[in-house]
Amino acid sequence: MGKLLWNEKLNIGVEVVDKAHARLFRMVGKLMDQAEYEPDSQKACKESIKFLEDYTMTHFSEEEAYMRSVHYKGYEKHKKLHDEFRDNTLVSLKKYLKSSDYSPMAVKRFLNVMVGWLTGHIMVEDQAIMGNVAAKSVYENTSDTSVVAGAVNQAMKDVFRLEADLISGEYNGRSIRNGYYYRLCYDMEDGGKVQLLMGLEEQLARRGVGMMLGLAAMQKPEMVREASMQILEQFFHHLGKLFKSDSEHYLDKEEVLTKDEFREDFMTRYPTSMLFETRLGHFIFCARRWEVKKRKGE
């Protein structure tokens, strides 16, 4: 797992931040080796994971201090993502670890989610600190195909560094080659809900993750699946006001789906349903937003 240390393409150009990111990846790499080659060393895993968690929180504090020092305009939004990871994602992962008594499978899932979240966050939010990500366009809440396609293409370029060409603005549910399928559900501050349904061809997911994390990552399907979902979460943060996502929103549920589950959910009707093609494979993007009716007296 030595190749899963650090990809200099992820550097943002701030020494203290880049060094911290590189160290985080080294720590994750060592833990992955430990989980793979020393599966019965629960005590050592617990200690290493606690150290990794503490160092991640220290890094967040240092990164936030840097953003304040340069008067970064996106500070509040960026800090909110740190807080959500600490208060929600990490808490959920730690519960799973404890309930499984730090089983090798649980430890691997913890690490896969960690590396996926960190990679997606660095590729988009951290790069934006230095202006290395294209300025986010301002979109209105719209179902216009060209507007949605442009927003998705920009997100794909910023997250995966790939162009995504729209080949169908009315995706009909036809099968793509072997792929990974995801459903992300968000609660909005105004009481509405947004649900994203996304599919990535296996080659796109493997090559995309491999480009960022090294060839070793491509050979681990569990890592590709978990890391891809964490990376795709950045799409929602990066789609401007297309779904009013600049308002307060909270991830309610994230799920990996089978092909049959994906098709069944797709048939429940998504007003936005698009099929894109990249040089590494196809990408399906479906979205819907609805308002939650308030009960009388609320």
Side-chain angles (χ1 to χ4, degrees):
M1 292 303 298
K3 293 183 180 179
L4 186 67
L5 296 181
W6 180 246
N7 186 336
E8 291 190 357
K9 291 179 181 178
L10 299 177
N11 283 342
I12 72 168
V14 178
E15 186 176 8
V16 65
V17 174
D18 291 335
K19 283 186 175 180
H21 288 161
R23 187 178 182 192
L24 279 170
F25 273 71
R26 285 198 300 272
M27 292 166 69
V28 170
K30 287 180 180 178
L31 264 168
M32 285 180 170
D33 283 345
Q34 191 173 2
E36 187 167 351
Y37 300 115
E38 302 174 49
D40 297 324
S41 57
Q42 279 115 328
K43 182 178 179 181
C45 266
K46 287 181 184 179
E47 293 173 352
S48 297
I49 286 172
K50 181 64 168 64
F51 186 74
L52 173 63
E53 179 189 355
D54 290 346
Y55 185 75
T56 301
M57 296 307 104
T58 298
H59 163 59
F60 283 175
S61 296
E62 292 175 346
E63 190 172 88
E64 288 163 12
Y66 175 79
M67 288 189 285
R68 290 193 300 270
S69 74
V70 297
H71 307 291
Y72 176 52
K73 291 182 179 179
Y75 171 78
E76 292 297 334
K77 175 176 174 287
H78 196 125
K79 185 179 185 304
K80 176 174 172 283
L81 295 175
H82 286 173
D83 293 345
E84 286 180 349
F85 182 76
R86 180 195 65 215
D87 299 335
N88 298 319
T89 304
L90 265 183
V91 169
S92 176
L93 288 171
K94 286 163 65 178
K95 284 182 180 178
Y96 179 54
L97 282 169
K98 289 179 180 178
S99 67
S100 69
D101 194 26
Y102 286 76
S103 69
M105 182 178 70
V107 171
K108 286 180 182 179
R109 181 170 187 273
F110 173 87
L111 295 171
N112 290 340
V113 171
M114 279 287 291
V115 78
W117 189 92
L118 285 168
T119 301
H121 186 76
I122 292 167
M123 290 293 282
V124 177
E125 302 300 337
D126 289 348
Q127 294 287 348
I129 298 172
M130 302 304 293
N132 297 332
V133 169
K136 183 163 61 175
S137 302
V138 178
Y139 304 102
E140 297 301 326
N141 188 33
T142 179
S143 59
D144 181 82
T145 299
S146 62
V147 174
V148 178
V152 171
N153 180 48
Q154 185 62 60
M156 181 63 80
K157 286 193 291 187
D158 288 337
V159 176
F160 279 102
R161 302 299 189 260
L162 291 171
E163 291 278 352
D165 297 320
L166 179 67
I167 59 175
S168 175
E170 295 183 0
Y171 170 66
N172 60 10
R174 70 182 177 88
S175 295
I176 58 175
R177 287 175 293 184
N178 291 340
Y180 297 101
Y181 302 95
Y182 307 93
R183 179 169 54 208
L184 303 176
C185 307
Y186 291 88
D187 291 329
M188 311 302 289
E189 183 182 40
D190 59 9
K193 288 183 176 289
V194 170
Q195 187 160 294
L196 304 182
L197 194 63
M198 293 180 281
L200 288 147
E201 279 192 8
E202 184 179 357
Q203 181 181 359
L204 171 58
R206 291 177 67 239
R207 292 282 297 277
V209 170
M211 284 167 59
M212 291 182 279
L213 303 178
L215 296 177
M218 294 175 60
Q219 310 306 319
K220 294 188 172 291
E222 298 88 354
M223 174 179 288
V224 172
R225 183 175 61 248
E226 295 286 356
S228 292
M229 179 158 66
Q230 296 302 316
I231 292 168
L232 283 174
E233 281 189 26
Q234 304 302 322
F235 268 72
F236 189 71
H237 298 303
H238 208 59
L239 287 178
K241 295 182 179 178
L242 191 62
F243 301 102
K244 297 183 179 177
S245 62
D246 276 354
S247 64
E248 289 290 325
H249 59 276
Y250 308 91
L251 181 64
D252 177 53
K253 187 182 295 185
E254 56 182 10
E255 301 170 283
V256 178
L257 305 178
T258 65
K259 181 185 290 188
D260 288 341
E261 288 171 337
F262 176 88
R263 288 179 65 84
E264 182 179 351
D265 192 10
F266 175 79
M267 296 305 290
T268 61
R269 197 179 71 82
Y270 280 78
T272 299
S273 56
M274 299 179 170
L275 180 63
F276 293 85
E277 185 174 35
T278 75
R279 63 183 176 83
L280 297 180
H282 291 91
F283 172 60
I284 303 167
F285 179 83
C286 306
R288 65 183 179 189
R289 178 188 168 93
W290 67 95
E291 304 302 321
V292 178
K293 293 183 179 180
K294 292 185 177 181
R295 291 175 293 185
K296 290 183 178 180
E298 291 185 340

